[in-house]
Amino acid sequence: MTLKQAMEKHNGLNFVVNEINIYSSIGRKALLETKFSNNETLLLNNYLIIESCQNFIIEDINKKTLSKVRKILAYINDITGTIKQLEQNQTLDDISLFQIKQFSISCSKIKSYFFDLNKYFDINNQNQLTLPLLTNLIKILDPEDLLLSQFYIYNAYSKELTNKRKEWECAKKEKNDDKIHKLYVECQNIEDQIREDLSNKLRIYTHDLKESVRIIGQIDKNFALAEYFTDNNYNKPIFSKNKNISYTQLSYPPLVTKLKESQKPYQPINISLSQKPCLVTGANMAGKTILLKSLSLSQYLLQFGFFVPSQKAEVIVVEDILTSIGDHQNEEEGLSSYASEILLLNDIIKKVKQEKKYLVLVDELARTTNPTEGVALVDSFLKILSQHTSFSVTTTHYSGIKTLCYRLRVKGFIQNKKQKELSLQDIPNQIDYALIEDKENKIPNEALNLAELLGVDKEFIDGARKSIK
Amino acid sequence: MPFINDILKYKSISFVGTEKNTGKTETLNYVLNRLCSFSNINVGLTSIGIDGEKIDQVTKTSKPEITIHPKTIFVTSEQLYSQKEIVSNILSLSNRSTALGKLVYAQAISSGEVLLAGASNTIWLKEVIEEIKSFGAKIVLVDGALSRMSFGSPSITDAMILSTGAALSVNIKTLVRKTSFIYRMTQLEPVEKKLALKLLDIENGIYAIDEKGGIIDLEIPSILMIENHKDKLFTFGSRLFVSGIITDKLILFIKAQKNVKDIEIIIKDFTRIFCTIENIDLFIQKGGKLKVAQSTNLIAITINPTSPSGYNLNSNQLIEELKYQIPIPIYNIKEI
């Protein structure tokens, strides 16, 4: 799975990636082609590169270097297509030759800016960001030693061409059309021969050029990530030793941004998960869905080799992230919400039974069917999860779940008796989103309180209260 | 050497024709030739969009290519670059693409003919002109177009030269009337600079301008849908900005309003007018105001008395009659 594919499935990931300032099309491609990985060594190495980039840009002098590099990156052309032409033994035209020259000169400029990476990167990672030397290649396209990002079939390539061009110019002055055309064709033929020679000479550098494109992508991508993670307080995840997942001050960036716009605070949460299934309860609007989305986003980020929006993160890599969050109604296929959901859960169960580690996140399981059967389904689902090796968080409004699991509850409404009627916008200020361990197996009956706070018809609420009693 | 000294005052000049075959390319070639032969000025060249066919597809008459001189900086597209009959040095390649590939910036080493191409919208055109200047061109000539199909406006250049002639009409009266109408439209009053800057960035839609200069989107997606949105037009006052073209339909509707005297229509520049002369004149006679965000500095008119079918107008009479209505220099392109 590439980052691009994952972004289609996950809005939060899409949001984060779009916030990252990439300067070149090569860098954007490199970022979007980042692969989801469960190889800890590889991920750790990615974290290290980003961390080294962060250390590099702390110093002002390096910041200036980076902005010079980025000015070049902003104009660098992706020459992947041209490299392919070379590989296929094609002869390049002037524009392609120009592109290779311009690209190579840009690379050598960037290379000269980054001469002391060794202070910040270990040897291995230094190589990851070190461009190949393209001096000899540039010489081929710069016979007059001008070191300018310009190109044409220079007179310096051939004496014969120089002479023919002179004759051609003379013919133009004489306005001798036949001669002009004859000399034009002759010049073209010599030029074509030179283009072929140049293409053959360049062909041996295809590997270096490909490597350069790859490294340009890595430079652009990693410094952009480093800068974004520094600016937005993302931190490097640590692989857990006790096989538990644990986040301190975990947040969900799309919501953080949205709240910031309306000058409202965001309350990050702490959560620890073992392989025991975790069941989360809490009132409506208490942030249960956001909790699941945060966990899923962070898991994606860390497995793409990125930092996570959390002060501290002890993490486990998983095979995949399996989620059932949101409305499942699938009208096109004629499935009801319930049917879609249950089929999705079936897929999850099938995978979990394969004994690979997954992160399973299920929001309000079976909420669209009757409570009696709903509770039974939640119970049974949790039981299956408890028998396998995955990590899971399931949220529910149902009480009476019997399966042994780790129970968390959102603290919920801050008790404040004087509270007057609230508008929808005020509700978040009245909720403590912190998670507490819940040993009572009782579900908070806050649906009616919430309705009351929202100023809903009194008869409606009182009637409901009576029914409960 | 008519109007060359005048031209040297400007940093960018666009060339437009009232119709195909009115001598726009000859005018451009003339100016180019003069600039290159009689001064050491580095000239830059681009066009609006793609004007690529060597043969005019409609009349099958041959269309002159542009002849350039050494050191001239020109812009064309990737595909047209390979058709050049000249030795030239590639300086830069645009990131964005046109229908014929990316734009190529090149400098001529020999002299010869090239086909030009250029940016397809106004903002990009501005950038292209600036980039050509950055390569050392002191004056940039733009092969422009006055057509509904063109999204790039030639008005953003410092000066404009208009070509007209028998291709527009073989009836001198009609030709003079149509040409002087275009001239009058180039003289439309511009709105205040602060507002103009804001308006020029707007890509589509119709807007109301309130008393404080605030720009309110009337949420009318297209002038073509004006019928369904008539009620919205004057909700915020009588000053309207139409970001695209204005058509007869809109003018007829506005002309019929009781408060036509108070109505001011603002368009980006005169190239956005696609109405009959009669309708515009009636609107203005009734007291309506038509203003532009970008004014046009028309500095000369050239005429081509020969129509594509071979009909020849009396050029002296034509020039005389045009001069009677248009107070700027007018030249016969065949005689200069």
Side-chain angles (χ1 to χ4, degrees):
Chain A
M1 176 170 46
T2 63
L3 182 60
K4 194 178 172 192
Q5 289 162 338
M7 280 163 72
E8 282 162 20
K9 286 199 283 185
H10 198 291
N11 291 340
L13 196 58
N14 202 4
F15 172 88
V16 173
V17 174
N18 285 326
E19 293 279 291
I20 297 167
N21 278 326
I22 294 279
Y23 287 77
S24 65
S25 57
I26 301 174
R28 174 141 293 271
K29 212 156 109 188
L31 177 68
L32 294 180
E33 281 170 6
T34 309
K35 285 205 170 67
F36 186 87
S37 166
N38 51 15
N39 178 337
E40 286 193 15
T41 326
L42 197 136
L43 292 172
L44 200 61
N45 199 44
N46 285 340
Y47 302 153
L48 275 176
I49 293 179
I50 296 173
E51 197 173 44
S52 307
C53 290
Q54 284 184 324
N55 292 335
F56 180 85
I57 47 179
I58 287 175
E59 290 182 39
D60 276 344
I61 183 155
N62 292 337
K63 251 185 214 150
K64 278 181 197 154
T65 305
L66 184 62
S67 90
K68 281 183 200 159
V69 167
R70 282 175 166 171
K71 267 183 200 144
I72 302 173
L73 286 175
Y75 289 100
I76 213 160
N77 269 312
D78 187 356
I79 57 161
T80 311
T82 311
I83 299 174
K84 267 202 192 111
Q85 280 180 290
L86 272 183
E87 281 179 323
Q88 292 165 353
N89 277 330
Q90 292 183 31
T91 298
L92 301 182
D93 64 9
D94 292 5
I95 291 170
S96 300
L97 291 167
F98 165 77
Q99 281 183 301
I100 290 188
K101 184 175 174 183
Q102 188 193 37
F103 176 83
S104 307
I105 290 177
S106 300
C107 286
S108 13
K109 277 188 197 155
I110 292 176
K111 193 176 168 64
S112 70
Y113 285 136
F114 278 152
F115 53 85
D116 56 351
L117 285 181
N118 55 343
K119 258 189 3 201
Y120 308 90
F121 295 83
D122 68 25
I123 290 284
N124 182 23
N125 290 339
Q126 215 176 306
N127 291 338
Q128 287 288 317
L129 299 179
T130 303
L131 289 155
L133 198 63
L134 297 172
T135 329
N136 290 334
L137 181 155
I138 294 170
K139 271 190 190 143
I140 297 174
L141 297 172
D142 192 23
E144 295 178 356
D145 259 335
L146 301 169
L147 262 182
L148 295 171
S149 284
Q150 304 177 350
F151 181 77
Y152 75 107
I153 303 294
Y154 294 91
N155 285 344
Y157 283 127
S158 150
K159 272 222 166 94
E160 196 192 351
L161 180 64
T162 317
N163 294 333
K164 288 281 176 210
R165 279 178 174 168
K166 275 184 195 154
E167 286 177 44
W168 187 30
E169 277 305 286
C170 291
K172 280 183 194 166
K173 277 181 191 141
E174 292 163 16
K175 301 211 165 145
N176 180 340
D177 278 350
D178 288 344
K179 210 169 160 193
I180 293 174
H181 186 72
K182 187 179 151 260
L183 284 161
Y184 167 70
V185 173
E186 282 174 12
C187 286
Q188 285 295 308
N189 285 338
I190 304 171
E191 285 186 12
D192 282 344
Q193 186 55 50
I194 294 168
R195 288 186 190 103
E196 199 179 320
D197 290 348
L198 291 176
S199 304
N200 288 334
K201 281 185 191 155
L202 291 178
R203 202 153 284 130
I204 51 171
Y205 294 97
T206 36
H207 175 76
D208 281 352
L209 285 170
K210 267 185 171 171
E211 226 5 50
S212 301
V213 172
R214 191 183 69 80
I215 289 167
I216 287 288
Q218 289 307 313
I219 289 174
D220 196 2
K221 166 184 151 181
N222 283 302
F223 280 101
L225 288 171
E227 193 177 60
Y228 178 75
F229 296 151
T230 306
D231 293 349
N232 294 282
N233 300 318
Y234 283 51
N235 286 295
K236 184 170 88 168
I238 303 161
F239 293 120
S240 168
K241 290 195 181 93
N242 59 13
K243 295 187 177 162
N244 287 347
I245 293 175
S246 159
Y247 288 103
T248 312
Q249 304 278 295
L250 173 68
S251 62
Y252 188 63
L255 190 59
V256 176
T257 306
K258 208 171 153 193
L259 289 174
K260 222 183 220 165
E261 278 164 14
S262 48
Q263 292 176 330
K264 282 181 185 152
Y266 181 91
Q267 184 188 348
I269 48 122
N270 301 337
I271 187 168
S272 291
L273 300 172
S274 65
Q275 285 189 19
K276 208 192 251 182
C278 170
L279 185 70
V280 177
T281 58
N284 296 76
M285 293 188 75
K288 297 191 298 297
T289 308
I290 292 297
L291 167 69
L292 298 183
K293 285 186 175 172
S294 312
L295 288 168
S296 139
L297 174 61
S298 283
Q299 194 69 34
Y300 272 116
L301 288 171
L302 74 96
Q303 294 206 236
F304 277 111
F306 302 163
F307 288 8
V308 291
S310 168
Q311 208 178 73
K312 203 175 145 203
E314 284 182 43
V315 299
I316 302 265
V317 292
V318 295
E319 195 65 23
D320 198 357
I321 301 151
L322 309 174
T323 61
S324 165
I325 304 173
D327 183 16
H328 303 285
Q329 198 140 17
N330 192 338
E331 281 161 2
E332 274 165 36
E333 287 174 36
L335 291 177
S336 68
S337 310
Y338 173 72
S340 304
E341 184 193 2
I342 218 74
L343 288 175
L344 186 61
L345 288 173
N346 190 41
D347 290 341
I348 294 177
I349 289 169
K350 266 192 210 157
K351 283 194 176 155
V352 166
K353 281 188 174 173
Q354 291 166 358
E355 292 306 331
K356 281 182 182 158
K357 246 182 258 165
Y358 288 96
L359 175 63
V360 180
L361 302 166
V362 179
D363 198 18
E364 294 188 34
L365 200 158
R367 73 168 175 281
T368 50
T369 191
N370 70 71
T372 325
E373 286 179 291
V375 170
L377 283 166
V378 177
D379 246 332
S380 176
F381 182 72
L382 291 173
K383 199 165 185 184
I384 293 174
L385 286 176
S386 66
Q387 288 158 3
H388 299 277
T389 52
S390 289
F391 291 83
S392 75
V393 179
T394 307
T395 68
T396 190
H397 281 293
Y398 294 142
S399 50
I401 312 284
K402 293 187 196 93
T403 310
L404 206 61
C405 50
Y406 176 55
R407 288 164 193 267
L408 290 175
R409 180 164 64 83
V410 183
K411 266 193 180 166
F413 280 94
I414 300 161
Q415 292 303 324
N416 186 350
K417 294 223 166 127
K418 278 179 198 162
Q419 197 54 250
K420 278 186 254 158
E421 233 173 63
L422 287 171
S423 75
L424 208 53
Q425 284 85 12
D426 294 328
I427 301 283
N429 299 332
Q430 302 302 318
I431 294 176
D432 183 349
Y433 294 95
L435 294 165
I436 43 173
E437 196 173 347
D438 189 2
K439 295 192 169 141
E440 290 173 28
N441 187 16
K442 245 179 85 185
I443 295 297
N445 288 328
E446 283 182 322
L448 295 178
N449 291 344
L450 177 64
E452 197 168 30
L453 282 173
L454 287 169
V456 170
D457 189 275
K458 202 164 181 311
E459 187 187 343
F460 178 31
I461 297 167
D462 288 346
R465 281 229 166 87
K466 264 184 209 155
S467 292
I468 294 173
K469 279 169 192 167
Chain B
M1 206 199 304
F3 68 85
I4 290 299
N5 287 334
D6 246 1
I7 279 177
L8 289 172
K9 289 191 277 191
Y10 305 105
K11 294 214 160 65
S12 59
I13 298 165
S14 54
F15 294 78
V16 297
T18 56
E19 189 52 74
K20 282 188 175 187
N21 299 306
T22 49
K24 176 186 71 173
T25 312
E26 280 117 317
T27 309
L28 178 53
N29 269 329
Y30 168 79
V31 170
L32 195 55
N33 199 15
R34 287 286 159 141
L35 283 174
C36 295
S37 319
F38 296 97
S39 67
N40 287 323
I41 284 179
N42 246 3
V43 181
L45 260 180
T46 183
S47 85
I48 293 175
I50 300 145
D51 201 12
E53 314 99 38
K54 281 194 184 181
I55 303 289
D56 189 311
Q57 294 299 323
V58 185
T59 59
K60 299 289 173 199
T61 48
S62 79
K63 194 170 172 186
E65 285 178 77
I66 307 221
T67 308
I68 60 171
H69 299 252
K71 286 192 175 172
T72 301
I73 292 152
F74 65 96
V75 176
T76 186
S77 75
E78 276 181 278
Q79 280 186 36
L80 296 177
Y81 189 74
S82 58
Q83 297 174 30
K84 72 194 160 75
E85 293 180 6
I86 180 183
V87 183
S88 58
N89 190 6
I90 303 174
L91 305 175
S92 171
L93 207 60
S94 71
N95 284 327
R96 265 185 285 178
S97 275
T98 67
L100 294 182
K102 293 177 172 178
L103 294 183
V104 182
Y105 296 74
Q107 184 160 35
I109 288 171
S110 74
S111 60
E113 293 185 339
V114 291
L115 292 162
L116 298 176
S120 45
N121 65 61
T122 311
I123 296 169
W124 192 10
L125 176 61
K126 265 189 190 168
E127 289 167 15
V128 170
I129 293 175
E130 286 312 309
E131 187 152 1
I132 297 175
K133 285 187 197 159
S134 78
F135 293 122
K138 292 280 176 280
I139 181 167
V140 181
L141 308 183
V142 179
D143 186 358
L146 293 183
S147 97
R148 192 185 281 255
M149 303 306 289
S150 169
F151 292 103
S153 168
S155 292
I156 61 139
T157 51
D158 298 341
M160 181 186 282
I161 296 172
L162 176 73
S163 298
T164 188
L168 179 64
S169 170
V170 288
N171 177 325
I172 288 193
K173 274 218 165 76
T174 315
L175 173 54
V176 170
R177 197 168 68 97
K178 285 188 172 172
T179 305
S180 80
F181 173 69
I182 294 174
Y183 168 76
R184 279 193 286 135
M185 293 301 104
T186 62
Q187 305 301 306
L188 290 174
E189 187 189 336
V191 295
E192 55 272 28
K193 198 138 205 173
K194 213 172 138 193
L195 177 64
L197 285 176
K198 284 191 225 157
L199 296 182
L200 287 170
D201 279 342
I202 297 174
E203 291 285 342
N204 37 49
I206 298 171
Y207 300 78
I209 313 294
D210 66 19
E211 283 166 5
K212 290 175 190 156
I215 302 166
I216 303 141
D217 190 351
L218 294 175
E219 286 168 11
I220 301 171
S222 154
I223 197 85
L224 301 169
M225 283 142 93
I226 200 85
E227 294 277 281
N228 311 330
H229 298 277
K230 282 176 179 170
D231 53 321
K232 283 189 195 168
L233 269 180
F234 300 108
T235 358
F236 300 94
S238 51
R239 232 179 153 196
L240 291 181
F241 170 64
V242 180
S243 64
I245 58 168
I246 55 165
T247 57
D248 283 322
K249 211 177 192 180
L250 176 82
I251 287 292
L252 285 174
F253 169 70
I254 289 175
K255 200 178 65 173
Q257 300 300 306
K258 268 189 211 151
N259 61 338
V260 63
K261 274 198 191 86
D262 307 321
I263 297 176
E264 177 181 317
I265 303 174
I266 306 167
I267 51 179
K268 277 195 175 166
D269 58 68
F270 83 98
T271 66
R272 307 297 146 129
I273 301 168
F274 287 90
C275 310
T276 59
I277 303 176
E278 293 75 17
N279 283 334
I280 291 285
D281 282 346
L282 270 172
F283 169 69
I284 293 171
Q285 273 163 29
K286 281 192 154 187
K289 286 176 208 74
L290 185 58
K291 289 190 182 175
V292 289
Q294 173 80 59
S295 60
T296 302
N297 182 19
L298 189 66
I299 56 165
I301 290 179
T302 65
I303 59 148
N304 175 8
T306 312
S307 81
S309 56
Y311 190 88
N312 263 307
L313 292 174
N314 178 335
S315 61
N316 287 340
Q317 188 198 346
L318 176 60
I319 290 181
E320 277 316 304
E321 295 207 11
L322 282 171
K323 276 190 172 163
Y324 189 68
Q325 307 231 5
I326 303 170
I328 58 169
I330 299 170
Y331 305 97
N332 181 351
I333 195 63
K334 302 283 181 192
E335 287 170 9
I336 49 176

